[in-house]
Amino acid sequence: SPIMTMERLFSGLMALVSLFLIYLAIGYVAPIAYDPIGPRPYPILIFSLLAFGALVVAFRPASFTKPIELGLTKPIIRNLVLCALALLVYGLIFEVLGFIFATILMSFAVGLLFAGNPLKSFIFSVLISIGLYVLFDILLDVKLPLGLLSGIIG
C-alpha cells in the first residue's frame, strides 16, 4: 500500500540521518573537558536507538503491520494547519513579547482549536505560562525572554 511504502521510505531515511548524526557525534570534541568520557556518549546513544527503531520499522515483515486509518477530515487538517501556524507565530513573537505573553497567546489559540471553553482556555494559558516561567527561569535557571515585562519584572 502507498502508506506502507511511505512509512518504510521515511523510516529508512530517518535511519540514514541518524547514522550520519552518529558519525558526526563520534568526532565531536568539547572545548572544555568537564567530564572524563566527554560529551559523545549521549548523542551516540540517542541516535543509535533512533537508527535501530527506524530500521526495525523500515525492514519489518509485512505480517507485523496493519493498515492505519488516520481519519484526516477537512476540519482536522484545518486545525493541524492552524496549530502549525500558531507555533510559527509563537516562534516569531517569542522574544518580542516575551515568554509569558507569547505562551499565553499560543496556548490560548491551541486551546480554542481543540474546542476548549474560551474562559477555561484563557485561565489555563495564564497559569501554565506563569508556571513554566517560574519552573524554567527561576527554579532551573534557564533564562527566558521577558519581552514586554522586562521593565516591570527584570
Side-chain angles (χ1 to χ4, degrees):
S1 81
I3 291 178
M4 188 64 176
T5 305
M6 288 301 293
E7 180 181 280
R8 290 182 189 271
L9 182 65
F10 178 76
S11 298
L13 181 63
M14 182 65 71
L16 286 175
V17 169
S18 299
L19 292 172
F20 177 71
L21 291 171
I22 290 169
Y23 169 76
L24 291 179
I26 289 172
Y28 181 69
V29 178
I32 300 170
Y34 55 88
D35 191 356
I37 58 174
R40 287 182 232 154
Y42 183 73
I44 291 172
L45 174 67
I46 295 297
F47 291 128
S48 297
L49 291 172
L50 183 62
F52 175 74
L55 288 171
V56 167
V57 170
F59 293 107
R60 70 179 187 244
S63 61
F64 288 113
T65 63
K66 61 181 177 181
I68 299 171
E69 177 55 46
L70 298 176
L72 293 177
T73 61
K74 283 186 180 182
I76 291 174
I77 292 172
R78 179 186 61 93
N79 283 357
L80 288 172
V81 169
L82 289 173
C83 189
L85 285 173
L87 291 171
L88 175 66
V89 170
Y90 180 66
L92 295 173
I93 65 173
F94 184 75
E95 287 191 41
V96 177
L97 294 182
F99 176 82
I100 294 174
F101 285 140
T103 304
I104 288 171
L105 290 173
M106 189 273 305
S107 56
F108 179 68
V110 172
L112 294 180
L113 280 176
F114 287 98
N117 175 295
L119 180 61
K120 290 179 183 177
S121 293
F122 180 73
I123 291 169
F124 174 79
S125 299
V126 170
L127 292 176
I128 198 72
S129 299
I130 293 170
L132 287 173
Y133 182 81
V134 168
L135 173 68
F136 282 100
D137 200 83
I138 297 170
L139 298 176
L140 296 175
D141 202 29
V142 175
K143 295 300 172 200
L144 297 170
L146 282 170
L148 299 175
L149 294 175
S150 61
I152 300 168
I153 297 175

